[in-house]
Amino acid sequence: MVSNPVHGLPFLPGTSFTDSTVLKFDAYFQEDVPMSTEEHYRIRQVNIYYYLEDDSMSVVEPVVENSGIPQGKLIKRQRLAKNDRGDHYHWKDLNRGINITIYGKTFRIVECDRFTQVFLESQGIELNPPETMALDPYIELRKQPLRKYVTPSDFDQFKQFLAFDKQVLRFYAIWDDTDSMFGECRNYIIHYYLMDDTIEIREVHEQNDGRDPFPLLMNRQRMPKVLVKDSKTFPQCVLEISDQEVLEWYTAKDFIVGKPLTILGRTFFIYDCDPFTRKYYQEKFGISDLPRIDISKKEPPPVKQELPPYNGFGLVEDSAQNCFTLIPKPPKKDIVKMLVNDNKVLRYLASLESPIPEDKDRRFVFSYFLATDMISIFEPPVRNSGIIGGKYLGRTKVVKPHSSVENPIYYSPGDFFIGAMIEVFGHRFIIRDIDDYALKYMESNAAQYSPEALSSIQDHIRKREAPASELENKQAEVDPGMQELEALIDTIQKQVKDLPHRDNICEAFQVHDKEASGYVDKEVFFKTCGSLNIPVDDSLIKELIRLCRHGEDKINYYNFIRAFSD
C-alpha cells in the first residue's frame, strides 16, 4: 500500500468513500400526443439516479403493464451535459422543485428519497419543499368508478299502462329564437303520454310558411330532467339513456301553463292546453287555474331610417341608394323635365378667381344642362399658354358652398348672371358673359331670376351693343367699301364649306377681348383662327381679313364672324 508522504496515512482512492452510493430523485416529463383525439399530452413518471462514484446519471421509467409504451431505462448510465460548454451535471445541481433538461427533454424533479435528503442536507444544500407528482389525465379518465347498487322499484308499469292507455296531455308552446341571427318565434304542440311518461313534440305548419312539412320535431321518448354527475360524456347519440344515468325524468307535474321548459337545449314556453289536460291537473294536482296566456306581440314602432354621413364620393342621391336596398338602383329622374328640356344648354363665359397671375387670363365655358341640372366646364385651349385646355369638369351636379350635406342645394339657372360668383369644389369662378340662347331663356323665364341678375344682364347688353353700333356707324361713315364687305360675306357663305360655328368663333375671340371692344391684335387673331381650323389661306378669307383690318395691328372680329353661319 502506498503511504501518504505528508501525513503518513495510507492512500485510499476517492471512489472508496462513495462506492455504491446512489442518489434517487422522483421526476416526470410531459410528452405531446399529436395523433390522438382523446388526449393531447401524457405525463410520464421517471426515477433519476445519480452515482456519486463517477458523477454519472441514469433515467428509468417504471414499467406499467399493457401500457403500449416502450418503458424501462430511458437514458443509460453516463455523464450528462447540462449546457453547450461541455459542463456536466453535478449532485449539487439537483434539488426538489426544479427543471433539468436532458437531451432536449425537460424533467421536473418533485421528490427524493430519505437517504438523498439526508445526504444533501449534510452537505449544506437547502432543499426545496416537495411537490406532488403530476398525474396523467388520460389514466385518471379511464379509472372505473365505484359500482352503485340500485334497489329495483316496486312501481308497476303494467298497471300504469292499463290505467292511462290512450290518455294524452296536450300543451301549446312556442319557441322564441328571435335573439339569434335570423331567428323567429315558432309554434309547437307538446304531447305527454300518461301510459309510459313519454314526450312528443310536433311542429305547427301554416300555409305557405316555406318550410318542409316534417310532422315531428322530436319523436316520442322519455326525456331526462337531471342526469348523473359523471354521465356528461355518455354517448347519447349512439346509446339510449337508462335509469342508471338519470336521477330524475320529466313528469306531468313539470308541464305547467305559463312556465318555460327546456328540452334538448330549446326553451319552450307553454301558453295553453286542451280541456282534458285542465281537468287532469285539477283532479291530480289540484290546480284549477290554467288560463290561456296571450303571446301576441305588439309590433314595434317603425324605426326611423337614418342615413350614414356622406363620404364624398358621387352624388348624395346615388350614395343614399346603397342604404335603401341590397342591390342599389339609380335614383328616379323627372322624365317630363328631361323631355321638355332635352338638348337645351345654357352657356356662360367665366374667369377663374385666383391669386396666381397665370390664372388671371384663363377663360372657361360653363354649360348648364336644363334637363338634368348638371354643369360641365370647358377651357378653350390657348397656344403657348403653358396650360392644357379641354374638359375641366365633366357633367355633374354642383352643390352650393353653404348647404348641408344631408339636404344639399344645387346650383340652378337663377344663380348664373353677369358678375355672379360660382364656387365649384373649392374653385371660384366669375361669370363674364352669356350666349344668346341664355339671354332668350332669361327673357322667357324672368321669374326664376332675381332683380340683381336681370339688371346685370341689361347693363351687359348695353355695354356690348354700344361699341358694336358705334363701330358700325363709324365704318359706314369712313369706309365707303361697306357694300363690298357685305357682298364678300354673301359670297363666302355660298362658296366656302365646312366653316366653324359662329358662336364658337365669337367665344374664342371674346376670351382675348377683355374690354369687349370688338378688336383683337393681328397676331392673336391668326393664332385663334389656326386653333379653330379657319382656312386663312383661302383667297376669299384673305380678302375678308383685309376688309376687317382696323389700323395696322388690329382686326375687327365682329365683321369677320358675320361671314360664318349661325
Side-chain angles (χ1 to χ4, degrees):
M1 180 179 293
V2 181
S3 62
N4 191 329
V6 179
H7 301 287
L9 298 176
F11 174 77
L12 295 175
T15 58
S16 62
F17 297 103
T18 57
D19 189 17
S20 302
T21 303
V22 182
L23 305 181
K24 178 185 176 184
F25 297 90
D26 297 333
Y28 69 91
F29 71 94
Q30 180 175 318
E31 182 183 30
D32 294 334
V33 184
M35 302 300 292
S36 176
T37 58
E38 297 181 353
E39 56 177 341
H40 302 289
Y41 67 91
R42 62 171 62 100
I43 302 298
R44 300 181 64 174
Q45 302 176 2
V46 298
N47 295 325
I48 300 177
Y49 297 95
Y50 186 93
Y51 301 89
L52 295 175
E53 59 181 349
D54 57 355
D55 296 329
S56 61
M57 298 175 62
S58 66
V59 180
V60 179
E61 181 180 9
V63 178
V64 179
E65 188 177 0
N66 296 328
S67 65
I69 303 174
Q71 295 175 325
K73 186 174 289 186
L74 300 181
I75 300 177
K76 294 182 179 181
R77 178 177 175 180
Q78 56 184 296
R79 298 190 69 188
L80 300 176
K82 67 177 180 179
N83 52 35
D84 296 337
R85 296 190 301 270
D87 299 334
H88 296 84
Y89 278 108
H90 193 262
W91 55 268
K92 295 181 181 180
D93 299 325
L94 304 179
N95 201 337
R96 292 184 301 203
I98 64 172
N99 295 331
I100 62 173
T101 303
I102 302 174
Y103 292 134
K105 290 187 177 181
T106 302
F107 295 85
R108 179 72 176 182
I109 300 177
V110 297
E111 186 57 286
C112 62
D113 59 359
R114 181 64 180 172
F115 173 78
T116 304
Q117 179 179 356
V118 172
F119 175 79
L120 294 178
E121 290 178 349
S122 66
Q123 297 299 322
I125 296 177
E126 182 179 356
L127 292 176
N128 297 328
E131 299 179 357
T132 58
M133 177 63 71
L135 301 177
D136 186 72
Y138 184 69
I139 295 177
E140 295 297 320
L141 181 64
R142 288 181 58 87
K143 288 183 178 180
Q144 295 292 338
L146 297 177
R147 289 192 175 184
K148 295 182 179 179
Y149 297 93
V150 180
T151 304
S153 175
D154 57 351
F155 178 74
D156 191 355
Q157 295 183 354
F158 184 66
K159 180 181 179 181
Q160 180 184 4
F161 173 78
L162 296 177
F164 298 102
D165 186 22
K166 298 182 180 180
Q167 295 186 13
V168 182
L169 304 180
R170 174 176 292 184
F171 302 92
Y172 301 95
I174 60 170
W175 174 46
D176 191 357
D177 191 37
T178 54
D179 293 336
S180 61
M181 183 179 293
F182 308 116
E184 58 182 348
C185 187
R186 302 180 60 183
N187 296 325
Y188 293 93
I189 296 176
I190 301 177
H191 288 160
Y192 186 89
Y193 295 85
L194 296 175
M195 58 178 292
D196 54 0
D197 297 326
T198 54
I199 303 171
E200 176 188 72
I201 302 179
R202 305 183 65 88
E203 295 189 6
V204 178
H205 292 281
E206 298 178 358
Q207 189 176 6
N208 298 328
D209 60 356
R211 297 187 177 274
D212 294 332
F214 292 107
L216 296 178
L217 177 67
M218 186 186 74
N219 287 328
R220 178 178 174 180
Q221 57 183 300
R222 296 185 70 188
M223 289 303 302
K225 183 178 180 181
V226 180
L227 296 174
V228 179
K229 183 177 180 182
D230 298 333
S231 64
K232 293 183 179 180
T233 59
F234 185 80
Q236 301 181 14
C237 61
V238 180
L239 302 177
E240 294 183 359
I241 298 178
S242 62
D243 293 336
Q244 297 180 358
E245 289 82 21
V246 180
L247 292 179
E248 184 179 358
W249 298 88
Y250 275 110
T251 59
K253 63 180 179 180
D254 298 318
F255 294 81
I256 303 297
V257 176
K259 292 185 179 181
L261 188 70
T262 301
I263 300 176
L264 296 179
R266 296 191 181 189
T267 301
F268 297 90
F269 179 77
I270 301 175
Y271 65 90
D272 196 7
C273 61
D274 62 353
F276 173 78
T277 305
R278 286 190 173 88
K279 181 179 178 181
Y280 176 82
Y281 271 78
Q282 184 177 3
E283 296 176 355
K284 182 70 176 179
F285 304 108
I287 302 176
S288 59
D289 188 13
L290 292 176
R292 175 186 173 88
I293 298 176
D294 186 14
I295 59 172
S296 59
K297 293 184 178 180
K298 297 181 180 179
E299 294 185 1
V303 180
K304 184 180 179 181
Q305 191 173 17
E306 296 182 1
L307 297 179
Y310 179 56
N311 56 7
F313 293 95
L315 298 178
V316 178
E317 294 81 0
D318 289 337
S319 300
Q321 297 300 319
N322 296 281
C323 306
F324 298 148
T325 57
L326 183 62
I327 301 177
K329 299 179 181 179
K332 293 183 178 180
K333 300 179 181 179
D334 191 349
I335 304 299
V336 177
K337 181 179 180 181
M338 293 178 63
L339 295 175
V340 172
N341 299 314
D342 188 23
N343 296 328
K344 293 183 179 180
V345 184
L346 307 180
R347 292 183 175 88
Y348 306 88
L349 182 66
S351 62
L352 181 63
E353 186 182 26
S354 173
I356 302 175
E358 290 79 4
D359 293 339
K360 292 183 178 180
D361 296 334
R362 299 175 65 182
R363 293 295 180 267
F364 301 87
V365 178
F366 277 65
S367 298
Y368 189 94
F369 300 89
L370 295 175
T372 58
D373 294 330
M374 291 187 177
I375 299 173
S376 67
I377 304 176
F378 178 80
E379 183 178 7
V382 179
R383 289 188 178 181
N384 300 326
S385 64
I387 299 174
I388 301 176
K391 183 184 290 187
Y392 188 81
L393 177 67
R395 288 191 185 187
T396 183
K397 290 184 178 181
V398 181
V399 183
K400 289 187 177 181
H402 298 293
S403 62
S404 61
V405 179
E406 293 78 10
N407 298 315
I409 302 175
Y410 299 103
Y411 279 107
S412 62
D415 299 318
F416 290 84
F417 55 89
I418 302 299
M421 187 181 67
I422 307 298
E423 184 172 342
V424 180
F425 302 120
H427 300 274
R428 296 183 177 181
F429 298 87
I430 298 177
I431 304 299
R432 299 294 184 183
D433 198 0
I434 62 176
D435 64 352
D436 295 338
Y437 182 78
L439 286 174
K440 295 178 182 178
Y441 182 81
M442 292 184 66
E443 292 176 0
S444 59
N445 300 275
Q448 298 182 10
Y449 294 87
S450 62
E452 180 186 1
L454 297 176
S455 62
S456 65
I457 295 297
Q458 292 173 359
D459 295 341
H460 178 73
I461 293 174
R462 295 192 193 99
K463 291 181 182 179
R464 191 172 68 175
E465 291 180 350
S469 60
E470 293 177 1
L471 180 62
E472 292 178 357
N473 295 333
K474 289 180 180 180
Q475 289 180 349
E477 296 174 359
V478 177
D479 190 3
M482 196 67 181
Q483 295 180 355
E484 182 182 358
L485 177 62
E486 296 293 339
L488 181 60
I489 290 174
D490 294 338
T491 305
I492 291 174
Q493 291 179 354
K494 294 178 180 178
Q495 296 183 7
V496 182
K497 304 296 183 181
D498 300 331
L499 293 177
H501 197 270
R502 177 189 293 182
D503 293 341
N504 298 335
I505 302 174
C506 182
E507 291 177 359
F509 284 123
Q510 286 177 353
V511 170
H512 304 284
D513 187 14
K514 301 178 180 178
E515 298 178 356
S517 62
Y519 301 101
V520 293
D521 294 339
K522 183 178 180 181
E523 182 180 357
V524 174
F525 176 83
F526 282 104
K527 287 183 179 180
T528 306
C529 291
S531 63
L532 297 174
N533 298 324
I534 297 175
V536 294
D537 296 333
D538 189 84
S539 59
L540 296 177
I541 301 298
K542 286 182 179 180
E543 182 64 19
L544 178 63
I545 295 174
R546 186 186 66 80
L547 295 176
C548 293
R549 285 184 179 179
H550 182 75
E552 296 181 357
D553 56 349
K554 295 287 186 179
I555 294 178
N556 184 352
Y557 67 86
Y558 280 143
N559 289 335
F560 180 78
I561 63 177
R562 290 170 56 196
F564 301 92
S565 60
D566 294 336

